[in-house]
Amino acid sequence: MTQERRLTETELTDMLRRAGVRPSVHRIAILKEIANGGRHPSADEIFSNLAERYPSMSRTTVYNSLHALTASALVRELEIESGCMRYDLAPQPAHSHFRCTRCGRILDMPLPPSLAETVTPGYTVDSVELTFRGVCPHCKEKETETLTH
């Protein structure tokens, strides 16, 4: 879920080390972008957001880092929109996502409490991907303002 506080570079470095991932400057920056950004960025968005601050970072570095972060279970891949992977910090409470069909923002939402009860006995669930789609409150408010003016 959306974090109340931002993770520091020291905390992110410790997370990488505990997961067995060598903490490079680029990996820390990429993990920080995912953990503290709250936007569920794509690889291209991560590259665009960091390219100016880290001119030596390439798209290949971003993709390789994302692969390492995903393999180490620090980051989850989300396919919220067809063909475009998004990234979310993995070590956080289970949650679903909401994608606004107007502005494209992806927001964290709590999982419905009865969801676990729907699993047929005998199955082991490794992960759940639940995405709601619709209009976010911000876009709905803008729409209402437009109609009243």
Side-chain angles (χ1 to χ4, degrees):
M1 299 283 296
T2 304
Q3 289 185 282
E4 304 269 328
R5 68 177 192 86
R6 294 168 124 8
L7 295 172
T8 66
E9 287 189 18
T10 301
E11 290 170 315
L12 295 168
T13 300
D14 289 344
M15 286 174 67
L16 288 164
R17 284 193 177 115
R18 283 193 305 273
V21 178
R22 186 178 59 81
S24 68
V25 170
H26 292 155
R27 285 180 180 159
I28 294 167
I30 291 166
L31 186 56
K32 186 176 185 179
E33 184 73 17
I34 295 166
N36 295 340
R39 295 181 319 275
H40 306 85
S42 67
D44 285 338
E45 288 171 344
I46 292 168
F47 175 75
S48 295
N49 293 340
L50 297 176
E52 191 173 308
R53 275 182 281 165
Y54 302 94
S56 64
M57 183 184 294
S58 66
R59 286 185 195 277
T60 301
T61 299
V62 172
Y63 282 103
N64 289 341
S65 296
L66 288 170
H67 178 72
L69 295 172
T70 302
S72 68
L74 288 172
V75 167
R76 286 181 34 212
E77 287 184 322
L78 308 170
E79 190 171 3
I80 291 177
E81 46 201 291
S82 182
C84 180
M85 294 310 251
R86 300 272 178 172
Y87 296 89
D88 198 6
L89 188 65
Q92 58 180 319
H95 60 278
S96 61
H97 295 96
F98 181 93
R99 183 176 187 284
C100 181
T101 55
R102 299 263 166 77
C103 67
R105 288 182 7 173
I106 301 166
L107 307 160
D108 290 344
M109 295 193 73
L111 279 174
S114 62
L115 189 63
E117 298 168 13
T118 63
V119 177
T120 303
Y123 288 85
T124 301
V125 177
D126 292 325
S127 69
V128 174
E129 304 274 335
L130 180 60
T131 304
F132 297 92
R133 288 174 175 74
V135 180
C136 71
H138 177 75
C139 288
K140 200 170 195 168
E141 185 179 306
K142 283 179 21 183
E143 183 178 280
T144 303
E145 287 174 7
T146 303
L147 293 174
T148 59
H149 285 88

